Amino acid sequence: ICRSLYTNPDCRTSADEDLLIQPEQLEACCAGLRAFDMTTTVENADAYEIPWRKAGGPLYIELHKDLFPTESAAYGDLNRFFGKVFDRAVEVEVQGEPVLTMNPTDHLFYLLCHGFKHFLHSGFGIRQIADMVMLANRHDNQINWAQIAENCRLIRCEKFAAAVFRIGEKYLGLEKYPEAWASVQADETALLADVLRAGIYGGAEETRLHSSNITLGAVADQKQGKQGGKGITRSLFPPAKSLRGRYPYLKKYPILLPAAWISRMASYGAKKVLSGSAAESLKIGAERLELLRQYDILD
């Protein structure tokens, strides 16, 4: 859908295509993908995302029953805004084929939430802002800007969204800055610097990726009314929930968390964990905590 907004869709590359389905459609969707000679290595129907690949080709599809991992204490609650997204869906034509997708209001708010999710991790890239700009320019009159602004207020990303739109207006051709944000004061320069440093999904630097345990932990602690954890402890010994993707056995056997910590440290290498790279991750984490405070995401 985002690619179709661009004059030349091939200029907007994507690593994967995400398909959102209703839970009761899972079996039928998996059967349809298998019929198209696609395969998956994930047999767990409860998995947040099920990846499918086409042998001998670049097609990579991720099947989702939820837009965000429900187990995430930092942003799993974002799913509540999209509970009736299928009831509000619209059909658009892409390269001559009908495609069911979110309506413009839901879609723009989702793109904001998706960027916000990656921002809470280790950062997000300029391409995601470009997608928001293209969608806003194409469907401005169909978007309920007041509803999006209220949703952003509820999840404490009002200033984040304001900064995103300012970047779009100043540098990426956003034709109309949304009036719903007229009274929100946010300096976009700090966010722009973070975006340019982050890479596509915050993966420009390994140490930056590791710092996400600090920022995610701080947001989760605030939502749960807890005292924030120590940076070094959170970075080196994250909770089981944040490691389930890499160590699936933790979902069934959380008692094995210490084993996952040991495996994780061994994979980084003792020198990396206990010296320079750990210190750099903590430094980046501290800087990004200040950034979250600047945009009122953290107290």
Side-chain angles (χ1 to χ4, degrees), residues 18 49 84 101 134 166 177 183 192 208 210-212 215 232:
D18 295 296
E49 59 187 24
K84 295 184 178 180
T101 187
M134 298 297 286
R166 286 296 179 200
Y177 186 83
S183 62
L192 180 59
R208 188 182 180 93
H210 298 167
S211 74
S212 65
T215 49
I232 185 67

Side-chain angles (χ1 to χ4, degrees), residues 20-91:
L20 177 66
I21 64 168
Q22 299 184 74
E24 61 270 22
Q25 296 175 327
L26 177 63
E27 186 176 340
C29 287
C30 289
L33 290 169
R34 287 193 181 95
F36 192 59
D37 295 328
M38 299 194 74
T39 59
T40 182
T41 57
V42 176
E43 300 299 332
N44 181 6
D46 294 327
Y48 159 62
E49 59 187 24
I50 304 177
W52 293 82
R53 295 184 181 277
K54 177 79 169 179
L59 183 59
Y60 176 51
I61 288 174
E62 288 181 348
L63 209 57
H64 289 258
K65 291 179 293 181
D66 295 294
L67 289 170
F68 303 93
T70 55
E71 68 271 13
S72 171
Y75 49 75
D77 61 336
L78 294 179
N79 286 307
R80 73 186 190 273
F81 294 100
F82 303 95
K84 295 184 178 180
V85 71
F86 281 94
D87 296 338
R88 302 188 295 264
V90 296
E91 187 177 278

Side-chain angles (χ1 to χ4, degrees), residues 104 135-145 175-176 178:
L135 184 65
N137 285 346
R138 176 76 63 88
H139 298 292
D140 177 56
N141 293 331
Q142 300 168 274
I143 294 171
N144 186 337
W145 289 101
E175 295 169 3
K176 182 182 177 183

Side-chain angles (χ1 to χ4, degrees), residues 220-241:
D221 284 347
Q222 178 169 278
K223 286 190 173 185
Q224 296 169 348
K226 297 178 181 178
Q227 180 81 21
K230 297 292 184 181
I232 185 67
T233 303
R234 191 174 295 284
S235 183
L236 298 182
F237 304 105
K241 283 184 178 181

Side-chain angles (χ1 to χ4, degrees), residues 1-2 4 17-20 86 88-103 107:
I1 298 299
C2 287
S4 70
E17 306 302 333
D18 295 296
L19 294 182
L20 177 66
F86 281 94
R88 302 188 295 264
V90 296
E91 187 177 278
V92 300
E93 187 175 290
V94 178
Q95 295 184 8
E97 296 293 337
V99 177
L100 192 67
T101 187
M102 288 180 273
N103 68 42
H107 201 168

